[in-house]
Amino acid sequence: MPEANGMILSKEEENDNEVRREDQDAINEFGRLNARLDEVKRQVDALKKTLEKIDDASTELMMGDGDNVMLRLGGAMFEATEEEATEYCEAEVERQQEILDKLSEEEAGIVERQETLKKLLYGRFGKSINLEA
């Protein structure tokens, strides 16, 4: 007997619809979108942490006394003035924010497409299919 959300379906809830090729394509697309959504969410979280670190660095620079500071680029450290370091932080925030905005747009598009697929698949299979993460 089929199960939905770990529960056994009653006879009335069972759906004996045959899975057509287009249904399987929609199910596969939903799965791919779900995997991409998880990846996008992880990237968004990482970018938010990076932006927070840059904001903390900018705050430290504002409280500085005008001396040169060490600026880390990748694995290397460079000596820079506070002004140069502040400009770098501002440019990096702008760059990271653009990436974050694109990922947020992509996330919204994925969620929208998944909702469309859910309506289609739940309409066809009812409770016989589980599309919840």
Side-chain angles (χ1 to χ4, degrees):
M1 194 177 270
E3 292 187 17
N5 293 327
M7 298 175 62
I8 297 176
L9 297 175
S10 68
K11 281 285 185 198
E12 299 82 41
E13 294 175 322
E14 283 187 33
N15 189 324
D16 290 332
N17 285 343
E18 187 175 316
V19 178
R20 302 173 302 198
R21 179 70 190 162
E22 55 266 21
D23 298 330
Q24 188 61 53
D25 290 343
I27 292 166
N28 292 344
E29 180 182 359
F30 187 89
R32 284 189 305 273
L33 288 171
N34 208 40
R36 178 62 185 151
L37 183 60
D38 288 343
E39 185 179 324
V40 167
K41 285 180 178 181
R42 280 193 301 275
Q43 289 176 335
V44 165
D45 289 343
L47 277 172
K48 286 181 179 179
K49 287 178 184 175
T50 299
L51 284 168
E52 192 175 305
K53 288 178 184 178
I54 295 170
D55 184 54
D56 290 347
S58 293
T59 302
E60 288 291 324
L61 286 169
M62 283 187 243
M63 296 185 327
D65 55 7
D67 293 337
N68 285 351
V69 295
M70 296 303 288
L71 181 64
R72 187 177 87 180
L73 299 174
M77 299 286 284
F78 298 94
E79 189 172 346
T81 65
E82 280 187 13
E83 184 179 324
E84 291 169 335
T86 301
E87 287 173 13
Y88 173 78
C89 287
E90 289 169 356
E92 194 62 19
V93 164
E94 194 173 304
R95 189 178 74 79
Q96 297 290 332
Q97 190 62 51
E98 283 177 21
I99 295 169
L100 184 62
D101 292 344
K102 287 178 185 175
L103 286 172
S104 295
E105 264 182 54
E106 182 179 357
E107 182 177 357
I110 289 171
V111 169
E112 185 178 319
R113 179 64 181 148
Q114 281 185 318
E115 289 302 317
T116 302
L117 290 169
K118 279 183 184 181
K119 286 178 189 171
L120 173 82
L121 292 167
Y122 280 134
R124 175 128 167 86
F125 297 105
K127 292 183 178 180
S128 294
I129 190 167
N130 180 11
L131 299 172
E132 302 305 319

